[in-house]
Amino acid sequence: MWRSSARRCARSPLWADPARTASELAARSKADADAFPKFDAKVRAVASFLAHVAATTPPDVGSPTFADSIRGLRLARAFRGLGDRGQTREAIRILPMAVADLVGDAFETDALRGAIAVRGIRYAAMGPWSAGTAANLLFDSAGNDGGAAGETAFARGGSVTVGRALADAARTFGAEIRCGATVERVTVAGGRVTGVVIAGGEELAAPIVVSGVDPKRVLLGMVDPVALGPTLVWRAGNLRMPGVVARVELTLDALPVFPGPDEERLRGRIVMAPGIDDLERAFDASKYGRVSDEPFLEATIPSLADPKVAPEGGHRMLVLAQFAPYRLREGDWDAERDRLGDRVLARLERFAPGLTARVIRRNVLTPPDLERDYGLTEGHPMHGEHGLDQLFAWRPLFGHARYRLPVEGLFLCGSGAHPGGGVTGRPGANAAREILRRRAR
Ligand SMILES: Cc1cc2nc3c(=O)[nH]c(=O)nc-3n(C[C@H](O)[C@H](O)[C@H](O)COP(=O)(O)OP(=O)(O)OC[C@H]3O[C@@H](n4cnc5c(N)ncnc54)[C@H](O)[C@@H]3O)c2cc1C
């Protein structure tokens, strides 16, 4: 693993070490340099509490058990661990906030506000002024050491090596893994799961089925609606998964030149979001079914950490582009795909002049491509929006947030479950604990 927290926007570098960030910010704004360590400490404190929340199974709000009470007490203790009353009040105040307000309270420079705020809106159909985006930033900081800057880690050999390592570990426990086997149906009899049917018709019997597929897909696409009943079908249909993320993968014949930052700074996430208004305007377009003219971009160059992921002497650059809505009001994605690729390159060119001429190959993945290639409903990378209405006891659905889906023996272990998406392993670890607990009864 290679870790970095270098991020850049209009030359505002952010490091996991707040003192280093502050000293570099001082050249642009003394007020921001003074404010950063305090802001960073606040983010770390609230995030450390959220790390406890992330590791907790949401309570059964309808009929809480004794175990729920114990978990509640543990959370209360972690919350009190935030410190004096001022700190706890502050945590309650900031969680539902718009991230634009959170950063606006702390900093005067718009570029710095934008660079931090993107963590509240990344992968979400929300702009920096949307309520709850501060919670996204704080949850993103839970369980890592990045603080307000965030943390970037690359797996040597590409992210596929993480999957391979997990698969190898599972096999040592006796797991058999079948790749390329598409589950078409979850079979149910007498209200209980009996197994799955995979493409081609083979039926695999199992008393427990654990789904890593997003909740909308499994509930609406794989389970007989009669087994769910009309209310649950309706509720599952209303799960919000508005994909707005596109990805542009570039192979370059040389390292792009961003005027200013040295190579160390290019090893983190390169954020191209000049300020809060630019982010909000980029989001606005998607509200009306349009692709942003000036999307917010976040790029990484994984070949700086591991040259083997690019051709000899070249580089690989992965660019996340928001906002590109799954449903276009006019036109279709087959016609828009290349236009989006051109738009992203044109914007990159503004930050890294000469980059376009270095492109050997480009691949544009739109939200429908993410749906088709990765099984992400509506192309939503997080298996459902991280909105305040779809977190914790509401993820994926109120009354079904404890990794058990509404059919006996059917569990959810992926990003659609609490605490949501990102490569954290948390929903899977929590789900495993609940399944083992259930089996022990
Ligand atoms: C472009 C992009 C960039 C991202 N960048 C980052 C990042 O930098 N950092 C980060 O933390 N997160 C990132 N994410 C999010 C991260 O990839 C997800 O949160 C994470 O992969 C979710 O893991 P998961 O196991 O819950 O689901 P997934 O990784 O979505 O796994 C679900 C699996 O189910 C399979 N599947 C679907 N339907 C079926 C079926 N019918 N039968 C059998 N299998 C099926 C899919 O093929 C897929 O392999 C990114 C996502 C995208 C799309």
Side-chain angles (χ1 to χ4, degrees):
M1 261 325 181
W2 194 94
R3 288 171 190 283
S4 166
S5 65
R7 301 165 79 232
R8 169 193 182 268
C9 169
R11 295 182 208 144
S12 298
L14 299 172
W15 305 94
D17 172 5
R20 184 174 182 188
T21 305
S23 93
E24 296 196 14
L25 288 174
R28 303 192 140 243
S29 159
K30 180 162 176 343
D32 287 348
D34 291 345
F36 191 83
K38 214 168 134 205
F39 182 79
D40 182 77
K42 177 157 78 178
V43 168
R44 283 174 199 267
V46 180
S48 72
F49 164 66
L50 291 179
H52 287 279
V53 176
T56 301
T57 298
D60 183 345
V61 183
S63 49
T65 60
F66 181 66
D68 287 329
S69 315
I70 299 291
R71 279 194 287 264
L73 284 173
R74 283 204 195 111
L75 279 186
R77 203 172 55 194
F79 189 62
R80 280 179 48 194
L82 281 172
D84 60 26
R85 281 211 182 149
Q87 282 271 39
T88 50
R89 265 203 306 270
E90 182 63 359
I92 293 169
R93 184 182 79 90
I94 64 178
L95 273 167
M97 271 172 89
V99 72
D101 280 324
L102 181 70
V103 294
D105 277 0
F107 304 113
E108 65 175 15
T109 313
D110 198 31
L112 179 61
R113 291 175 177 176
I116 297 176
V118 294
R119 293 180 60 212
I121 63 170
R122 196 195 286 144
Y123 314 121
M126 295 192 258
W129 290 108
S130 303
T133 43
N136 278 344
L137 183 151
L138 295 161
F139 261 112
D140 193 42
S141 304
N144 70 55
D145 194 29
E151 193 180 45
T152 303
F154 295 104
R156 288 197 199 284
S159 48
V160 71
T161 55
V162 177
R164 284 204 192 113
L166 289 171
D168 289 346
R171 284 193 192 98
T172 65
F173 288 94
E176 184 195 327
I177 298 173
R178 288 168 68 169
C179 296
T182 301
V183 174
E184 289 192 329
R185 217 154 33 88
V186 174
T187 52
V188 180
R192 275 202 65 91
V193 147
T194 55
V196 296
V197 177
I198 57 177
E202 188 184 353
E203 196 163 344
L204 303 173
I208 290 178
V209 171
V210 185
S211 168
V213 173
D214 71 66
K216 200 167 198 170
R217 180 165 293 241
V218 66
L219 289 175
L220 297 186
M222 298 182 190
V223 179
D224 182 353
V226 175
L228 290 182
T231 306
L232 272 167
V233 169
W234 173 74
R235 289 178 67 201
N238 284 339
L239 279 170
R240 295 190 305 107
M241 337 192 70
V244 288
V245 173
R247 168 144 127 162
V248 179
E249 304 171 340
L250 301 173
T251 306
L252 307 167
D253 64 10
L255 190 64
V257 178
F258 286 82
D262 52 34
E263 198 184 293
E264 187 189 3
R265 281 150 220 268
L266 296 184
R267 286 174 175 244
R269 290 179 188 263
I270 306 162
V271 175
M272 284 154 275
I276 296 292
D277 285 353
D278 303 83
L279 290 170
E280 188 70 16
R281 267 195 292 271
F283 163 58
D284 278 345
S286 70
K287 287 194 294 199
Y288 308 108
R290 287 189 294 107
V291 180
S292 313
D293 290 329
E294 309 239 298
F296 122 62
L297 305 180
E298 191 179 86
T300 51
I301 309 178
S303 48
L304 281 172
D306 180 2
K308 287 201 208 86
V309 299
E312 178 90 32
H315 279 280
R316 188 160 164 74
M317 189 172 190
L318 306 175
V319 187
L320 207 73
Q322 269 178 252
F323 290 81
Y326 175 79
R327 281 190 191 80
L328 294 173
R329 193 165 286 183
E330 281 170 27
D332 62 64
W333 270 115
D334 282 336
E336 285 298 320
R337 187 177 294 104
D338 273 344
R339 230 194 306 260
L340 171 65
D342 293 344
R343 211 174 284 189
V344 167
L345 276 180
R347 189 146 168 83
L348 279 173
E349 187 72 30
R350 295 227 313 259
F351 293 89
L355 183 143
T356 313
R358 299 203 151 130
V359 176
I360 307 169
R361 203 167 44 241
R362 90 174 186 197
N363 183 34
V364 181
L365 289 165
T366 67
D369 297 330
L370 293 173
E371 180 174 64
R372 186 197 58 223
D373 297 349
Y374 298 99
L376 296 165
T377 301
E378 296 180 34
H380 202 296
M382 302 284 134
H383 292 197
E385 189 78 331
H386 283 187
L388 289 177
D389 58 325
Q390 294 193 158
L391 290 176
F392 197 50
W394 287 264
R395 192 165 189 88
L397 292 169
F398 191 73
H400 303 284
R402 295 153 66 86
Y403 309 95
R404 285 180 225 156
L405 287 176
V407 177
E408 185 64 25
L410 179 59
F411 291 83
L412 188 69
C413 69
S415 301
H418 170 73
V423 186
T424 64
R426 256 294 149 218
N430 291 355
R433 189 182 58 230
E434 292 306 311
I435 295 163
L436 291 174
R437 194 171 279 160
R438 187 141 185 93
R439 287 193 70 189
R441 274 198 217 144

